[in-house]
Amino acid sequence: MNRLMSKPTPALLRNVRLFSDLDERDLESLADEFNERRFGAGDTLALEGEGGLMFFVVESGELSVEQHGESVSTLGPGSSFGEVALIDRRPRTATVTAVSDVTAYGLPVFVFRPFVESRPQVAWKMLEALADRLEIAESR
């Protein structure tokens, strides 16, 4: 397999809450839509307040997440971010920076939208994830 054309495994995607209810065929189909992206320590993957048209799933490495200049969490293998950008073209809600070398897979919004529109179970998972985020944001 050409390393430059690496795709996420269905197992990696199944660990993403949004995709956990998908069957193997849908996971394989979705995996084909992702593109491998590599980042070095210090690289910014998402910038708070900027547009975001990509959803990411992290295969390896560590990332820091900041909101309003304050560290709010870290992300590692199996983590994902950018789902808000997949639903609405609002600016990014956080800055995500690579702490170490990172391998991630990116899924563009223009690919994701038709995928979700044909799979209501994914749309429902996204609603649940956004409700959880809202609860966390309101508790800060």
Side-chain angles (χ1 to χ4, degrees):
M1 184 170 160
N2 183 344
R3 190 64 189 136
L4 295 177
M5 297 302 291
S6 182
K7 301 290 182 182
T9 64
L12 180 66
L13 294 183
R14 185 173 306 286
N15 286 329
V16 175
R17 180 177 171 189
L18 297 178
F19 309 141
S20 62
D21 288 344
L22 295 181
D23 63 30
E24 199 68 16
R25 192 182 73 235
D26 284 342
L27 285 171
E28 288 172 6
S29 173
L30 183 61
D32 285 342
E33 302 298 338
F34 279 82
N35 294 305
E36 183 181 60
R37 303 284 302 273
R38 291 177 179 264
F39 303 92
D43 288 352
T44 300
L45 285 73
L47 188 60
E48 186 175 7
E50 295 293 314
L53 296 175
M54 189 81 65
F55 169 75
F56 288 98
V57 178
V58 180
E59 181 179 71
S60 64
E62 184 181 348
L63 302 137
S64 67
V65 181
E66 292 184 353
Q67 288 182 314
H68 313 297
E70 291 188 28
S71 180
V72 292
S73 69
T74 58
L75 301 173
S79 299
S80 61
F81 65 94
E83 59 274 10
V84 172
L86 294 177
I87 299 166
D88 191 354
R89 291 189 171 94
R90 292 175 196 243
R92 293 285 194 193
T93 60
T95 295
V96 180
T97 306
V99 174
S100 65
D101 287 348
V102 170
T103 299
Y105 299 101
L107 180 69
V109 65
F110 64 84
V111 170
F112 189 66
R113 201 170 291 249
F115 182 86
V116 172
E117 286 172 350
S118 66
R119 292 164 181 84
Q121 71 273 27
V122 176
W124 192 252
K125 282 283 186 186
M126 291 184 82
L127 286 171
E128 290 173 343
L130 290 172
D132 287 349
R133 283 224 174 151
L134 183 61
E135 182 179 347
I136 290 166
E138 289 177 342
S139 70
R140 284 193 179 131

